[in-house]
Amino acid sequence: MKEFNFERFSRQLGETNVNIKSAIVGKDAFIVGLGNSAFQDILFRARINPKRKASALSEEEKHAVYDAIRTMIDDRIRLGGKDQFTDLYGSQGRYIPVMGPNMNGKTCPVCGSLIEKMSLGGGQVYFCPTCQK
Ligand SMILES: [Zn+2]
């Protein structure tokens, strides 16, 4: 992750006139290895609506997304990966996504709104309609 610094991230987001999902996940993404699950986590942590355009984010919002990516990656490493996966020794990862299918039918831990789901970029994305603007 040594190439992943805020200046570069911010510049790339500004040049990307696409939905923020395309900037973070998939073949055109500029960060390698993040999936739809990570995307939902990141945007919930950053309090950004999944439908936003990458280039329309304010400097403050870009910082929030950047910080959310770093925090999520650190948490995943610290907790041994996602909870669906086991490592070489058979111990299960303890990282539970803060947002995703596991939140279906539940309320937001921050504001209490019912979590909603939308179709986006060929997948389902869960989000909080109140926190994520
Ligand atoms: Zn909320």
Side-chain angles (χ1 to χ4, degrees):
M1 293 298 285
K2 73 175 187 293
E3 292 289 317
F4 186 56
N5 62 63
F6 179 72
E7 286 66 34
R8 191 174 154 179
F9 177 71
S10 175
R11 195 172 64 241
Q12 286 174 312
L13 273 185
E15 288 167 355
T16 312
N17 190 29
V18 295
N19 183 278
I20 191 167
K21 186 175 180 187
S22 310
I24 295 179
V25 181
K27 63 177 173 54
D28 299 322
F30 49 75
I31 307 161
V32 175
L34 296 180
N36 189 42
S37 164
F39 172 72
Q40 296 170 69
D41 247 38
I42 290 161
L43 287 212
F44 178 73
R45 289 171 190 259
R47 312 185 124 227
I48 307 278
N49 188 282
K51 285 214 158 132
R52 297 282 301 276
K53 276 199 179 236
S55 57
L57 297 180
S58 70
E59 201 65 8
E60 198 180 335
E61 288 170 332
K62 287 179 190 172
H63 258 293
V65 174
Y66 177 79
D67 289 345
I69 290 172
R70 297 225 72 130
T71 308
M72 188 211 61
I73 290 169
D74 287 349
D75 282 358
R76 278 193 178 183
I77 292 167
R78 189 165 48 82
L79 296 170
K82 281 176 68 181
D83 60 344
Q84 293 101 313
F85 298 115
T86 53
D87 66 17
L88 285 173
Y89 308 101
S91 55
Q92 195 179 21
R94 286 168 293 126
Y95 182 78
I96 296 167
V98 289
M99 184 54 62
N102 55 312
M103 293 300 288
N104 189 17
K106 296 191 180 158
T107 52
C108 173
V110 177
C111 74
S113 297
L114 190 64
I115 297 304
E116 292 183 5
K117 172 171 85 164
M118 66 165 89
S119 293
L120 187 69
Q124 299 293 330
V125 171
Y126 291 83
F127 68 103
C128 173
T130 305
C131 293
Q132 295 178 252
K133 297 297 181 193

